[in-house]
């Protein structure tokens, strides 16, 4: 019994020493968090409910606490992260959540007819002919429609060469370009511009920005092409594919 008492006293002294080593700001933050938790528990009947103001106060103060004390609060760190994800979801809500509008059956039939009756017409030529008829359709949409109809790209529509075979044949000189975004804790969205070498699957990170406009994107591509001087891409033309 005496050994247990000595052990408890030793543990308590160690915790006091650790408490003395903490900064004043950390101690004040812990006191504010405890007071707010007590206020929330007092108005709970039978279970406390946190409104948006409580979430904002706790999320801001818990960041100032040491790592060991964050797990012993009224809410866990996972709950705070869930609040953040919910906040980001509410900010980045778009009016149309279904993506691009679907292509009508009339346009799909017209694209199929133009492609089968004119084997030498590419995506840009079909797009121009549709524009003459009063239908504004993107070249990528035409490519997607023809791919769904299993119609290969021009000028190999009546041969055995498929789009996959074309990619394998030209993979050494093709680059796939795209963006992906990251939502920061400051409710700011950053866009990362990257390039994948289709042949080797090597990824180039060209840059990160909050405003990926045309001049910035063009300059990043120029920088990449300057870095590729002397490599195998100088032996032929480089083809960029935007997914």
């Amino acid at each position: 019994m005496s050994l247990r008492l000595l052990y408890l006293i030793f543990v308590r002294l160690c915790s006091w020493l650790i408490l003395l080593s903490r900064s004043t700001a950390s101690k004040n933050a812990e006191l504010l968090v405890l007071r707010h938790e007590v206020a929330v528990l007092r108005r709970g009947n039978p279970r406390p409910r946190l409104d948006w103001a409580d979430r904002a106060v706790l999320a801001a103060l818990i960041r100032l606490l040491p790592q060991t004390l964050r797990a012993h609060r009224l809410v866990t760190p996972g709950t705070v992260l869930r609040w953040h994800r919910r906040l980001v979801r509410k900010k980045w809500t778009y009016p149309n959540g279904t993506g691009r509008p679907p292509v009508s059956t009339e346009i799909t039939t017209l694209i199929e007819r133009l492609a089968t009756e004119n084997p030498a017409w590419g995506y840009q030529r079909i797009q121009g002919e549709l524009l003459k008829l009063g239908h504004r359709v993107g070249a990528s949409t035409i490519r997607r429609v023809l791919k769904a109809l299993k119609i290969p790209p021009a000028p190999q529509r009546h041969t055995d060469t498929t789009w996959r075979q074309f990619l394998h044949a030209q993979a050494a000189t093709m680059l796939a370009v795209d963006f992906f975004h990251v939502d920061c804790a400051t409710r700011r969205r950053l866009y990362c511009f990257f390039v994948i070498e289709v042949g080797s699957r090597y990824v180039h990170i060209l840059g990160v920005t909050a405003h990926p406009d045309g001049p910035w994107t063009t300059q990043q591509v120029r920088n990449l092409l300057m870095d590729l001087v002397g490599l195998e891409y100088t032996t032929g033309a480089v083809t960029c594919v935007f997914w």
Side-chain angles (χ1 to χ4, degrees), residues 29-44 48-50 54 57-59 61-62 65 69-77 80 83:
E30 184 179 2
L31 289 175
L32 291 176
V33 170
L34 291 174
R35 289 181 178 180
H36 196 77
E37 289 179 349
V38 171
V40 172
L41 291 174
R42 283 177 177 175
R43 67 169 182 262
R49 295 185 178 274
L50 284 79
D54 297 327
V57 171
L58 291 177
L61 293 177
I62 288 176
L65 297 180
L69 295 178
R70 295 180 185 178
H72 301 285
R73 303 271 58 87
L74 185 63
V75 293
T76 61
V80 178
W83 292 346

Side-chain angles (χ1 to χ4, degrees), residues 13-231:
L13 290 175
C14 291
S15 63
W16 287 343
L17 292 176
I18 295 175
L19 183 63
L20 292 176
S21 62
R22 287 172 51 189
S23 62
T24 305
S26 177
K27 296 177 184 177
N28 293 335
E30 184 179 2
L31 289 175
L32 291 176
V33 170
L34 291 174
R35 289 181 178 180
H36 196 77
E37 289 179 349
V38 171
V40 172
L41 291 174
R42 283 177 177 175
R43 67 169 182 262
N45 187 17
R47 179 181 178 183
R49 295 185 178 274
L50 284 79
D51 55 13
W52 68 269
D54 297 327
R55 298 189 183 101
V57 171
L58 291 177
L61 293 177
I62 288 176
R63 294 177 58 253
L64 303 176
L65 297 180
Q67 188 70 27
T68 56
L69 295 178
R70 295 180 185 178
H72 301 285
R73 303 271 58 87
L74 185 63
V75 293
T76 61
T79 304
V80 178
L81 292 178
R82 189 172 68 251
W83 292 346
H84 173 257
R85 290 193 296 267
R86 187 184 305 167
L87 184 65
V88 171
R89 258 197 327 267
K90 290 182 179 179
K91 176 176 175 58
W92 299 105
T93 301
Y94 298 96
N96 186 7
T98 59
R100 297 180 180 178
V103 182
S104 63
T105 307
E106 177 186 359
I107 300 298
T108 302
T109 305
L110 188 57
I111 292 174
E112 182 182 7
R113 181 178 176 182
L114 291 175
T116 53
E117 294 181 358
N118 304 276
W121 285 10
Y123 304 137
Q124 300 291 339
R125 178 65 184 275
I126 296 176
Q127 181 186 18
E129 296 298 328
L130 289 174
L131 189 59
K132 294 178 183 178
L133 298 175
H135 303 292
R136 185 179 298 274
V137 183
S140 60
T141 302
I142 297 174
R143 179 181 64 85
R144 187 172 68 253
V145 171
L146 294 180
K147 184 179 179 181
L149 296 173
K150 300 187 182 301
I151 299 177
Q156 305 293 334
R157 292 208 176 102
H158 292 307
T159 63
D160 295 332
T161 304
T162 62
W163 177 246
R164 183 180 296 274
Q165 293 173 347
F166 172 79
L167 288 179
H168 280 292
Q170 304 295 331
T173 57
M174 295 185 67
L175 300 175
V177 185
D178 204 347
F179 286 90
F180 70 86
H181 65 268
V182 177
D183 294 323
C184 302
T186 56
R187 301 176 64 183
R188 186 183 183 189
R189 175 166 289 187
L190 299 178
Y191 296 86
C192 178
F193 186 37
F194 68 96
V195 173
I196 301 178
E197 298 180 16
V198 178
S200 62
R201 298 297 180 180
Y202 186 81
V203 180
H204 301 270
I205 302 296
L206 302 188
V208 179
T209 181
H211 305 284
D213 53 2
W216 181 87
T217 305
T218 304
Q219 185 60 42
Q220 303 306 316
V221 174
R222 289 174 180 171
N223 296 339
L224 173 66
L225 294 180
M226 292 176 61
D227 295 337
L228 294 179
V229 172
L231 298 179

